[in-house]
Amino acid sequence: MAGILFIISAPSGSGKSTLVSELRKQVSGVDFAISWTTRSPRGSEENGREYNFTARAEFQRMIDTEVFLEYAEVFGNFYGTARASLDEARAAGHDLLLDIDVQGGAQVRAKMPEAVSIFVLPPNPKVLRTRLRNRSRAEGVVVEAELYRRLSEASKEIENYRQYGYILVNDILDRAVAQLEAIVLAERFYRNGESIAYRSRRVLEVAAACLQMNAQDRLKPVLEAFGIDGSDGSQRQLDFGDDPSQDDPQDDD
Ligand code: ADP
Ligand code: 5GP
């Protein structure tokens, strides 16, 4: 595609959708691929806005007719990106952003190695739990089993961070949004020679600091909090406990 393909993945509840929606307010020319899913709409979600919601039989038909660039089963439901999203972004001369899980990320990278991949991390398990719970409350449903399922998958998903070029730790929202914006602008600058004007040096520095190879110092405490040993990838028991130092900086729960 003419534009840049961005893949963004994160454990559920890390704030990926929030970051993407903020980015789209700040930066023009980035399309968002609306995925297909067999899960039911949540809260205020509308068909055709957050997702295209569909039945399993129809999703299977779409798999059989090779509608999808990638698809995966996540938390017992199917999710997929239609190839048409790429065609539409290409026709408009826009970049395209895919919010997909780590399985989908691997499929897309295999087909399109030039894609820019970004992994978003919550600062620690306790903050992740609070964000998932707050989101559920805001949507008017708290299903403990679903919360637990998403939390217990988080460490497994985080272990895949090594496959991503950029790492964002979403603690302070404004800072994480600025980092995501810097990554998009820096990639446009390097790949398309697009001007980023007077802010260029700072933007390039912010983006470079988010490259996985430069983000090890910020990554280490997050991996430790999630029980992941950065050296060998092994996992230990998780702590979703009440250590006040792990509170969300923007949360009063
Ligand atoms: P995801 O798309 O990764 O599943 P969401 O974007 O739905 O996650 O965010 C989960 C919850 O966390 C939402 O209630 C959102 O408002 C909140 N949230 C996101 N980022 C932050 C942040 N940096 N600080 C505090 N709360 C956040
Ligand atoms: P949620 O149900 O919270 O909206 O999303 C659950 C997970 O599915 C998230 O990790 C999200 O990134 C992922 N997801 C959403 N759309 C797609 C998609 O089209 N393909 C894949 N592989 N994962 C997706």
Side-chain angles (χ1 to χ4, degrees), residues 7 30 47 63 97 220:
I7 300 170
V30 186
N47 192 26
I63 295 174
L97 206 151
K220 197 164 173 271

Side-chain angles (χ1 to χ4, degrees), residues 11-18 131 135 170-173 248 250:
S12 178
S14 307
K16 182 169 32 95
S17 314
T18 309
R131 287 187 188 165
R135 182 175 72 187
N170 179 20
D171 43 13
I172 309 289
L173 184 61
D248 200 330
Q250 294 183 1

